Amino acid sequence: MPLRATLIRLGIAAAGGALVAGAASPALASDDWGDHHGHHGHHPKYYKGRVNAPGGLNLRDRPTRGSAVIGFVPQGQEVSIFCKTPGESVRGNHLWYLLTDGTWAWGAAHYIDNIGPTPRWC
């Protein structure tokens, strides 16, 4: 199976888990969708972020620090974010972003500053 298809399937599986977790936890289910932020439910296809990790950020095939490293982004580089999901906590932050730059890979949200709106849930 091609790598991209495998990563997409992993992302879909992780997203399914995030939906279950979000349904079970009101804190995880809240985000900035809806009228109270003036977006009226309309979101861009991709969100933007900037890597703040000293020395750069390893990108992984799952939202965990122990999963395989499949990419790398230098500190200061802008990245394209598709969505966010809960994963392994990194320095107290349990959110991970699914990045779309070149390949589909996960980056710990702790090391990515949002540019503009907060990404939607996967």
Side-chain angles (χ1 to χ4, degrees):
M1 176 180 308
L3 178 61
R4 183 179 173 105
T6 301
L7 291 174
I8 290 171
R9 287 184 185 193
L10 286 171
I12 291 169
L19 291 174
V20 171
S25 172
L28 292 177
S30 70
D31 59 17
D32 56 348
W33 289 63
D35 294 345
H36 63 282
H37 289 279
H39 294 136
H40 304 287
H42 177 72
H43 290 277
K45 184 174 180 181
Y46 300 107
Y47 299 83
K48 296 284 182 194
R50 186 170 314 281
V51 172
N52 66 29
L57 178 63
N58 285 328
L59 303 181
R60 306 204 176 257
D61 69 348
R62 290 181 295 142
T64 64
R65 290 185 292 180
S67 62
V69 175
I70 59 172
F72 177 81
V73 179
Q75 181 180 15
Q77 183 170 319
E78 191 173 296
V79 292
S80 181
I81 304 166
F82 184 70
C83 61
K84 65 184 174 186
T85 193
E88 182 179 354
S89 180
V90 175
R91 297 186 178 248
N93 186 336
H94 71 279
L95 296 177
W96 287 70
Y97 292 150
L98 182 58
L99 306 179
T100 63
D101 300 289
T103 185
W104 293 79
W106 296 97
H110 175 78
Y111 294 114
I112 302 171
D113 295 326
N114 293 323
I115 300 171
T118 302
R120 68 181 163 263
W121 291 100
C122 294

